[in-house]
């Protein structure tokens, strides 16, 4: 019998690397970036596509996005799952602790799969084949991560260094944060580094024990918020004062960089985290000159550029390797090779108290939701 896998989608991110399109009130997981539905809806559909086995599907999302979440959940069979709403963001360690608590309380020591909501994975069958390949290691009590063999020296991803391999599963030596270009080139040449997809598989008790060993404050605070939660047909809601008390940390820093005997399964699916305008240029429908053109755009003599208008006419001449993204209240222009640095713009705007990083103009939201 195929083992139950309780699946959780983390949907609390802001996606500031895709500003000005992605903002606090309208982050990238709710955008249709490739023409076949929002990133969140596609992630949920991928999880429902497991060929066999019980797969309850839960969603961990910001309470302020509840209406958007319910719209994307419409018509999907979650097999007993549903949304868990965070009253405020506390990073991915809290989300994983919440997923573990929910699983233990409802399904016992089951396998847990945690995935981001905003990654492009275009091969659901291969996705589930890769997940199933990690179940034996997870069942034995190991925390399992999934890595992508690098195809170029990418500075926008975290890396996983691996050592010994057994039966298609590698031992993890260490996790490495986003490198500079020279370091990324050395990783590519070394051959034993993989991109970190941020997808995790584990037994609920194994993750609980890791939190108690390495981050008891996060575990206890999350448990207190979860125990005080209220539920109705729309989802589970936790008290703000208790959830806000959870220390904010990423699951990589809090647990994965500290735990021992972590296993990595090489992912057999096509993957892109769509975390930059460069990545959207890489996966978008390009014309014969390598441009991805979206919206009301006139482009002449442009090459290998991502040019997007979400409103008025945008015209460009002679652009090469450039990202131009225009909304009704902001425009971003940069070489696509520098598009990872858009967060610097966002940080400067936030320091100035500008609202363009947080709010999408109301008429833009209406246009998108009606598309």
């Amino acid at each position: 019998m195929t083992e139950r896998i309780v699946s959780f989608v983390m949907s609390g991110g802001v996606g500031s690397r895709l500003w000005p399109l992605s903002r606090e009130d309208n982050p990238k997981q709710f955008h249709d970036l490739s023409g076949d539905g929002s990133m969140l809806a596609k992630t949920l559909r991928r999880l429902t596509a497991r060929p066999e086995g019980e797969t309850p599907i839960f969603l961990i999302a910001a309470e302020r996005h509840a209406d958007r979440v319910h719209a994307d959940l419409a018509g999907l069979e979650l097999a007993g799952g549903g949304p868990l709403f965070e009253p405020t963001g506390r990073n991915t360690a809290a989300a994983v602790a919440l997923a573990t608590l929910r699983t233990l309380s409802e399904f016992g020591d089951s396998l847990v799969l945690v995935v981001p909501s905003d990654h492009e994975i275009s091969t659901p069958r291969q996705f589930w084949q890769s997940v199933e390949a990690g179940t034996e290691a997870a069942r034995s009590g190991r925390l399992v991560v999934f890595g992508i063999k690098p195809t170029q020296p990418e500075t926008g991803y975290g890396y996983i260094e691996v050592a010994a391999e057994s039966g298609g599963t590698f031992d993890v030596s260490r996790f490495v944060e986003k490198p500079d270009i020279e370091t990324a080139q050395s990783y590519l040449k070394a051959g034993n580094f993989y991109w970190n997809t941020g997808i995790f598989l584990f037994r609920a008790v194994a993750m609980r024990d890791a939190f108690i060993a390495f981050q008891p404050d996060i575990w206890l605070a999350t448990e207190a918020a979860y125990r005080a939660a209220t539920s109705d047909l729309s989802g589970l809601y936790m008290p703000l004062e208790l959830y806000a008390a959870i220390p904010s940390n990423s699951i990589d820093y809090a647990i994965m960089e500290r735990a021992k005997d972590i296993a990595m399964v090489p992912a057999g699916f096509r993957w892109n985290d769509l975390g930059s305008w460069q990545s959207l240029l890489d996966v978008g429908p390009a014309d014969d000159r390598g441009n991805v053109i979206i919206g009301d755009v006139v482009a002449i003599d442009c090459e290998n550029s991502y040019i997007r208008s979400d409103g008025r006419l945008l015209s460009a001449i002679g652009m090469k390797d450039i990202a131009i993204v225009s909304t009704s209240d902001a425009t971003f222009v940069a070489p696509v090779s520098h598009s990872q640095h858009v967060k610097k713009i966002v940080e400067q705007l936030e320091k100035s108290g500008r609202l363009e990083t947080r709010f999408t103009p109301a008429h833009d939201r209406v246009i998108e939701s009606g598309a």
Side-chain angles (χ1 to χ4, degrees), residues 131-189:
V131 172
E132 300 289 355
T135 55
E136 183 177 348
R139 198 179 299 116
S140 72
R142 301 179 75 181
L143 307 181
V144 178
V145 299
F146 296 86
I148 298 286
K149 192 70 174 175
T151 54
Q152 73 263 355
E154 175 62 58
T155 60
Y157 300 153
Y159 285 72
I160 305 166
E161 183 181 9
V162 298
E165 182 264 342
S166 176
T169 300
F170 290 81
D171 296 333
V172 172
S173 298
R174 60 175 176 143
F175 291 84
V176 185
E177 286 303 299
K178 299 171 184 176
D180 58 31
I181 186 64
E182 292 81 9
T183 305
Q185 288 169 340
S186 71
Y187 291 167
L188 186 65
K189 186 176 180 180

Side-chain angles (χ1 to χ4, degrees), residues 251-269:
I251 187 64
D252 291 311
Y253 282 130
I255 300 296
M256 306 309 289
E257 293 185 5
R258 301 166 183 255
K260 305 300 182 185
D261 197 29
I262 296 176
M264 191 210 75
V265 172
F269 48 83

Side-chain angles (χ1 to χ4, degrees), residues 114-314:
V114 177
V115 304
S117 64
D118 54 0
H119 291 180
E120 178 75 10
I121 297 174
S122 55
T123 49
R125 185 171 62 86
Q126 288 85 350
F127 168 79
W128 276 112
Q129 286 175 344
S130 297
V131 172
E132 300 289 355
T135 55
E136 183 177 348
R139 198 179 299 116
S140 72
R142 301 179 75 181
L143 307 181
V144 178
V145 299
F146 296 86
I148 298 286
K149 192 70 174 175
T151 54
Q152 73 263 355
E154 175 62 58
T155 60
Y157 300 153
Y159 285 72
I160 305 166
E161 183 181 9
V162 298
E165 182 264 342
S166 176
T169 300
F170 290 81
D171 296 333
V172 172
S173 298
R174 60 175 176 143
F175 291 84
V176 185
E177 286 303 299
K178 299 171 184 176
D180 58 31
I181 186 64
E182 292 81 9
T183 305
Q185 288 169 340
S186 71
Y187 291 167
L188 186 65
K189 186 176 180 180
N192 64 326
F193 286 83
Y194 288 72
W195 291 331
N196 185 357
T197 64
I199 299 171
F200 306 101
L201 180 71
F202 50 86
R203 273 179 47 204
V205 164
M207 184 58 78
R208 179 201 65 189
D209 291 347
F211 268 103
I212 290 173
F214 302 116
Q215 298 289 342
D217 290 351
I218 292 177
W219 180 260
L220 292 173
T222 308
E223 185 176 37
Y226 178 71
R227 299 301 178 202
T230 58
S231 296
D232 58 29
L233 292 176
S234 65
L236 179 139
Y237 300 84
M238 289 164 289
L240 173 60
E241 64 276 10
L242 291 179
Y243 205 80
I246 302 171
S248 179
N249 204 342
S250 74
I251 187 64
D252 291 311
Y253 282 130
I255 300 296
M256 306 309 289
E257 293 185 5
R258 301 166 183 255
K260 305 300 182 185
D261 197 29
I262 296 176
M264 191 210 75
V265 172
F269 48 83
R270 296 197 299 274
W271 172 88
N272 193 310
D273 81 339
L274 297 186
S276 69
W277 299 115
Q278 174 71 68
S279 66
L280 290 180
L281 178 62
D282 293 340
V283 304
D287 63 19
D288 57 1
R289 303 193 69 175
N291 302 302
V292 173
I293 307 293
I294 297 174
D296 191 4
V297 173
V298 174
I300 299 173
D301 294 334
C302 295
E303 295 180 35
N304 302 317
S305 293
Y306 186 92
I307 307 176
R308 177 180 187 132
S309 174
D310 278 17
R312 60 189 175 179
L313 170 66
L314 171 61

